[in-house]
Amino acid sequence: MTGKNEKSQHPATIAAQALGWIDEETRAISPNLQSSTTYLRDPDNQYRSGRKYARADNPAFDQPEALLAALEGGADAMLFSSGMAAATAVFLSLAPGDHVIAPKVMYWSLRNWLLGFAQNWGLAVEIVDMTDLAVLKRAMRPGKTKIVWTETPANPLWDITDLAAVAEIAHAGGAVLAVDSTTATPVLSRPIEFGADLVMHSATKYLNGHSDLIAGALVTRMEDEQWAKIKTVRAQIGGVLGSFEAWLLLRGMRTLFPRVRTAVANAQALAEHLAANPNVAQVLYPGLRDFPGHEIAARQMTGGFGAMLSIRVKGGEQAAIKTAAHVQIWKRATSLGGTESLVEHRASVEGAGSPVPADLLRLSAGIEDVNDLIADLDQALLAAM
Ligand SMILES: *Cc1c(COP(=O)(O)O)cnc(C)c1O
C-alpha cells in the first residue's frame, strides 16, 4: 500500500483518493474486501504479520483509519461499531471515582448513558452549560476531572463550544478535551488544531454519508497511555466494525467534501429563507449572524457552519408535528448526514430531561436542489397553520 506524501495535498484531494493507496499485488485502486477473522501463525509460534484475530484489529480498518487521522490532523484513529461504541469507549477507559464533565446540549443518547450506566458504574458525571466558561471553570476538580466532553455544533440547538478556551480550562485542570465533531465533520472543523485531545465521530452520519451503515470513530492527538487503554476497551468489549462496513465507509469518505459542501450551502440558504418565513418563530443555525455562537463558529470553522439547523414553529408543538406530517420531499426520520434531507420532531425522541423545546423541528440538509427543499418546507409550514 503506497500513497504520495499526503502532507502536501489539500484535504479534499486526500479524501477523494482515500490517501492514494493502491494494492501492490493487484494494482487495485479500490481496496480488496478482506473478511478473515483469523490469521496464520508462523511455524515457530510467532505472529510476524502483526495480525491475530479481528476483534483486536482488522486490516479493513487500516485505510479508513489512516484517512480519518489525516483529515483530522491526528496521530491515529480507531473505528468502532457505532458512534455510541466510540464515545462510551472513552469513558470506559477511566476508573470508577473519576470525574467527567459534559455539556447540557449534546447527543441525547450519550447524555442518557452518562447519567445512567456511567454514573451507576461509578463515574462522577457533571452536566454544565459549555458555552459559559466561568461555569466550566467552577466545575473542574483539578486532579479528579479526567475528561471534558463537548460537542460542537451541539445537537439539536447547535450550541457552539469555544474549543480553544475550553481546551485551556480542561488542560489547566489536568483533564483531556474530547469533542464529538460529528456535525462539524473534518471538512469544517479540526478540533485538534484548537487543543482537543480526542475527536469522536458518529461515522454513521457525514463520514459515510449514505444512511446505510452504523459506525463510529475516534481520533487522537497523541498515541499515549489513554489511547492504548481505549484500544484495549475496543478489543475487550468488542465494539468493532465489520469488514464490509469499513469498506463501505471508506467509499463514502471519498465523497465527503463535495457532499458536505453542498449540504452546507443548502443549510445556509434554508436558514436565511426560513428566518423570513412568517410561520417560523426562530431559526437556530450557527451561520446566522444573530446566532449566539456565530462569532466563535466563524473563528473555528472553515467553509461554513454545518448542514444541521433547527426551526421553532409558530403555533407550538402540534404545529411542529403537523409541519413534519406535511413534508413530501423531506423525509420524516431520525439521524442526519445523508444525501437526503431529514426532518424530525426532537422532543418526541428525547423525552424528559431534554433541553429541547416542544415546538422544535431538527433539519438535516441533504444535497438535493435547495429550491425543492425550500418549497417543500414552505408548503408544509403553511399546511400546518
Ligand atoms: C448519531 C450521533 C451519535 C451516535 O452515533 P451512532 O453511530 O448512532 O451510535 C453521537 N453523536 C452525534 C452528534 C450523533 O449525531
Side-chain angles (χ1 to χ4, degrees):
M1 310 248 209
T2 54
K4 280 247 176 324
N5 177 13
E6 68 269 9
K7 290 242 153 59
S8 62
Q9 299 172 9
H10 292 93
T13 306
I14 296 170
Q17 301 196 352
L19 293 167
W21 287 15
I22 52 149
D23 180 68
E24 293 293 6
E25 198 180 323
T26 63
R27 312 303 285 162
I29 280 172
S30 164
N32 300 325
L33 182 57
Q34 193 287 110
S35 62
S36 188
T37 55
T38 190
Y39 297 87
L40 193 65
R41 198 187 263 278
D42 299 329
D44 62 355
N45 220 29
Q46 303 295 302
Y47 267 120
R48 280 188 198 77
S49 72
R51 311 279 183 193
K52 294 176 187 159
Y53 186 56
R55 174 152 42 72
D57 170 30
N58 181 337
F61 299 167
D62 292 356
Q63 197 170 354
E65 287 180 344
L67 175 57
L68 185 59
L71 294 179
E72 289 286 0
D76 196 15
M78 245 190 275
L79 293 184
F80 289 82
S81 56
S82 68
M84 281 297 288
T88 55
V90 173
F91 295 100
L92 291 171
S93 73
L94 303 181
D98 286 344
H99 178 241
V100 300
I101 300 176
K104 201 172 66 182
V105 179
M106 69 183 291
Y107 180 66
W108 69 293
S109 191
L110 183 59
R111 179 179 56 233
N112 287 350
W113 183 85
L114 284 169
L115 294 175
F117 183 97
Q119 290 217 116
N120 291 339
W121 177 60
L123 288 187
V125 179
E126 197 157 340
I127 305 285
V128 304
D129 178 353
M130 204 57 75
T131 66
D132 188 336
L133 299 175
V135 166
L136 174 63
K137 264 186 207 155
R138 278 200 300 279
M140 289 294 299
R141 299 185 205 161
K144 287 218 81 177
T145 307
K146 300 297 184 203
I147 289 173
V148 174
W149 183 274
T150 196
E151 179 179 327
T152 186
N155 244 300
L157 305 178
W158 318 116
D159 277 15
I160 299 293
T161 300
D162 184 336
L163 290 175
V166 166
E168 203 179 308
I169 295 168
H171 294 158
V176 153
L177 174 63
V179 180
D180 181 341
S181 199
T182 298
T183 62
T185 81
V187 178
L188 308 174
S189 171
R190 289 159 44 111
I192 288 171
E193 286 176 358
F194 293 89
D197 303 284
L198 291 170
V199 178
M200 175 247 148
H201 286 281
S202 168
T204 311
K205 314 295 168 52
Y206 295 98
L207 293 181
N208 181 60
H210 294 78
S211 307
D212 56 8
L213 69 85
I214 299 279
L218 294 174
V219 184
T220 187
R221 166 204 292 284
M222 285 182 304
E223 293 192 71
D224 56 6
E225 198 185 325
Q226 183 171 21
W227 187 244
K229 279 189 192 160
I230 296 170
K231 203 163 254 190
T232 302
V233 169
R234 183 180 71 168
Q236 290 180 336
I237 293 183
V240 287
L241 201 60
S243 298
F244 183 53
E245 283 71 17
W247 187 91
L248 275 178
L249 173 59
L250 185 71
R251 186 171 77 158
M253 286 171 73
R254 288 175 185 263
T255 56
L256 177 68
F257 280 75
R259 281 188 289 102
V260 168
R261 284 170 177 165
T262 303
V264 165
N266 283 355
Q268 182 75 40
L270 279 159
E272 286 168 12
H273 177 85
L274 290 165
N277 185 309
N279 301 320
V280 173
Q282 194 188 1
V283 178
L284 303 174
Y285 182 63
L288 295 178
R289 277 176 204 290
D290 59 355
F291 188 81
H294 175 75
E295 303 272 307
I296 298 165
R299 223 168 41 229
Q300 68 190 21
M301 298 176 83
T302 43
F305 297 88
M308 296 300 300
L309 64 157
S310 296
I311 53 173
R312 299 188 62 180
V313 178
K314 260 191 202 152
E317 178 168 18
Q318 285 314 311
I321 291 171
K322 266 197 206 156
T323 301
H326 279 99
V327 295
Q328 284 162 5
I329 292 169
W330 289 74
K331 297 290 174 272
R332 253 182 327 280
T334 196
S335 198
L336 55 104
T339 55
E340 67 291 323
S341 292
L342 302 179
V343 55
E344 181 173 42
H345 182 248
R346 271 316 279 183
S348 302
V349 178
E350 301 200 8
S354 158
V356 178
D359 58 4
L360 181 140
L361 291 177
R362 185 181 78 176
L363 305 176
S364 170
I367 63 170
E368 305 93 331
D369 189 303
V370 74
N371 296 303
D372 291 337
L373 300 178
I374 286 174
D376 191 31
L377 274 185
D378 279 351
Q379 69 76 23
L381 282 158
L382 198 62
M385 291 303 136

